[in-house]
Amino acid sequence: MYRGEPIWEAVDRLFIDRLVDEDEALVAARESSARTAMPQADVAPNQGAFLSIIARIAGAHRILEFGTLAGYSTIWLARAVGERGRVVTLEVDEVAAAVARENFERAGVADRIDLVLGPALESARALADQGTEPFDMVFIDADKPNNPHYLAAALAMSHPGTVIVGDNVVRDGAVADPDSRDPRVHGTWALLDGLGDRDRLAATALQTVGLKGWDGFAIGVVRGPSD
């Protein structure tokens, strides 16, 4: 096995070593999550690169992120939108927000990120009420029980072609337990049900296994009138 690790982690590290350009600023941001209330909860480097590539494929210039933590995924997204793009990221925890702001400065992307401090759902609803310009991509990675509400808020600020990505939709297989009482699982089910609205979205979900354990992403795109 590669470096003596479990094989699924070894494969992730091989992919990261050969494909992912994680510079010092990204490494520092990832490691700084140890200073937050959720250490190591950020996406893996290859997953951050995946989000960046999705943003680039979508031609995203405006991205909304639910859940900042230390800002690791935010930096990937901010680099994807380019100097003229914008990422709005929502974070409830003041300590995490302070850590993230340090990381944005170090990565040289602070000028293209708006970090909104407060409960993410309240912040998102305030953005919608203000008539904010629609977003081209939305990344949902905050408290899972609120997933369906985040999706509804995201859809209210979307346009045809907006890409919506939800993280942590497998939860070590718990999502397949019909008797689960875990509110995070129930929130995931509700997110999947919402993304499964075929009149409004085209969507799918993929399992992942690697450095972040057994989990996965759900991804959807908002349909247009001719879809």
Side-chain angles (χ1 to χ4, degrees), residues 20-21 24 143 196 207:
V20 177
D21 183 17
E24 292 181 3
D143 57 303
Q207 300 181 73

Side-chain angles (χ1 to χ4, degrees), residues 196-214:
D197 179 353
R198 292 174 179 82
D199 291 332
R200 193 161 190 186
L201 294 138
T204 190
L206 296 172
Q207 300 181 73
T208 60
V209 62
L211 290 171
K212 307 306 293 187
W214 180 19

Side-chain angles (χ1 to χ4, degrees), residues 118-127 150:
L121 187 55
E122 293 180 13
S123 298
R125 286 173 173 166
L127 286 171
Y150 296 149

